[in-house]
Amino acid sequence: MTVYNLYIFDRNGICLHYSEWNRKKQAGISKEEEFKLMYGMLFSIRSFVSKMSPLDMKDGFVSFQTSRYKLHYYETPTGIKVVMNTDLGVPNCRDVLHQIYSTVYVECIVKNPLCELGGTLQSELFSSRLDSFIRALPFFSVRAA
Amino acid sequence: MSRQSNRTTDNKKMNSELFTLTYGALVTQLCKDYENGEEVNKQLDKMGYNIGVRLIEDFLARSSVGRCHDFRETADVIAKVAFKMYLGITPSVTNWSPAGDEFSLILESNPLVDFVELPDNHNTLIYSNLLCGALRGALEMVQMAVDVRFAQDTLRGDNVTEIRMKFIKRIEENLPADFAQHIRIGS
């Protein structure tokens, strides 16, 4: 099992943070384009899911998977969106994504008055904490193959 | 394991006197800096707002509160969870307007005013106005535009301290125009 990459978006669709670990295939477009494409898709899925659901939903959109990867989605009531791509063996990671928000984003960004909210995050502390958090996950393992 | 220990240091309780006295020093300084009480009220509201937009993230990270579905639920969360967490008090929620878009928080005790006596020349000052800003800022981040103001204040001779909250509108989330274009490119 492994983690491919992770995006954090704010409520205006700005990509606050992107990092990748075991991504073998790049999108072939600029990162900026990729973030917009990703956010546009998430936005559409969210409205699709809420319109198509035959019942009232609690969590809304949670994840989707293809033949090769799984995309996990978590959104806070303030509109911060944490998106993580993993391989198919990884179970529901809502708790993990919430922890990234509460123990890494809130602790290192929100509680740091020098970090402006609403732009690309430049805090090194944040990046390194996030990196070690992800590497410590039970389903994170770097496999060469 | 390390995550666990983080949580406990996070939730550490602090003596509220330090907070109360720091806030008092802030208000005193603002009163020196600005001549009229109105301007001080405005500055307190602004500072509160800036605190509120960050505080909401801390609040959501610590509590497992999800999105509120109506204003009554919001009122409950503010009074029973948020005030308890940050000020150690639980205001009562009363005076609902018939439409359900307006209510009052009655504060039996306000930790901000523990050692305060207002001198006569500050009759326009709303001492705890920072709270209004914080409430407004926090709610704005969860897509609610709300008008918050002090209706009564024991410091100014009223029997109770009352914060009046009025729901104005839901802030809609819109997809910026250039994103719509990218959805088409993507499809």
Side-chain angles (χ1 to χ4, degrees), chain A residues 8-105:
Chain A
I8 299 175
F9 292 98
D10 79 354
R11 59 172 172 167
N12 300 317
I14 309 291
C15 186
L16 301 178
H17 179 82
Y18 173 74
S19 45
E20 64 184 43
W21 290 273
N22 298 313
R23 183 176 181 174
K24 303 217 178 60
K25 182 176 164 290
Q26 294 297 331
I29 49 177
S30 75
K31 274 281 170 307
E32 212 170 286
E33 293 271 304
E34 182 186 310
F35 297 154
K36 284 188 175 173
L37 191 58
M38 181 58 117
Y39 189 81
M41 179 202 63
L42 294 171
F43 192 93
S44 308
I45 290 187
R46 244 170 30 127
S47 72
F48 173 85
V49 165
S50 70
K51 288 196 178 82
M52 298 318 260
S53 171
L55 299 169
D56 273 347
M57 290 182 303
K58 209 170 127 270
D59 292 334
F61 169 45
V62 176
S63 68
F64 73 69
Q65 65 179 57
T66 71
S67 57
R68 298 301 298 277
Y69 74 97
K70 186 168 177 183
L71 180 144
H72 306 261
Y73 179 80
Y74 172 75
E75 181 179 345
T76 71
T78 50
I80 300 290
K81 298 162 183 74
V82 187
V83 183
M84 184 168 78
N85 288 308
T86 67
D87 69 2
L88 297 176
V90 175
N92 186 345
C93 327
R94 257 189 113 60
D95 290 347
V96 171
L97 297 185
H98 178 76
Q99 271 177 9
I100 291 173
Y101 167 70
S102 64
T103 64
V104 189
Y105 177 76

Side-chain angles (χ1 to χ4, degrees), chain B residues 55-180:
Chain B
L55 201 61
I56 183 71
E57 303 281 6
D58 181 66
F59 176 73
L60 293 171
R62 282 193 203 197
S63 58
S64 50
V65 174
R67 195 175 276 285
C68 290
H69 295 288
D70 59 34
F71 205 40
R72 284 179 189 269
E73 201 182 332
T74 310
D76 262 3
V77 171
I78 292 172
K80 299 202 179 105
V81 191
F83 266 85
K84 181 109 201 86
M85 187 185 288
Y86 293 110
L87 293 174
I89 55 171
T90 311
S92 46
V93 179
T94 55
N95 294 340
W96 277 98
S97 66
D101 63 344
E102 237 181 292
F103 69 90
S104 294
L105 291 169
I106 306 290
L107 282 68
E108 273 93 46
S109 66
N110 178 357
L112 289 181
V113 302
D114 272 353
F115 316 105
V116 179
E117 244 175 69
L118 279 192
D120 296 336
N121 57 343
H122 285 294
N123 47 13
T124 53
L125 174 69
I126 304 168
Y127 185 85
S128 312
N129 209 31
L130 188 107
L131 291 181
C132 293
L135 284 164
R136 185 167 59 86
L139 290 172
E140 191 178 302
M141 295 303 283
V142 288
Q143 277 92 48
M144 275 185 261
V146 179
D147 179 61
V148 189
R149 61 190 167 79
F150 273 89
Q152 299 188 70
D153 192 344
T154 48
L155 270 188
R156 305 167 82 192
D158 297 314
N159 289 330
V160 287
T161 299
E162 177 185 355
I163 300 176
R164 191 77 182 148
M165 316 253 304
K166 183 178 173 27
F167 180 82
I168 302 169
K169 62 166 184 172
R170 198 157 186 91
I171 302 165
E172 291 300 329
E173 206 180 340
N174 286 320
L175 189 66
D178 60 328
F179 282 90

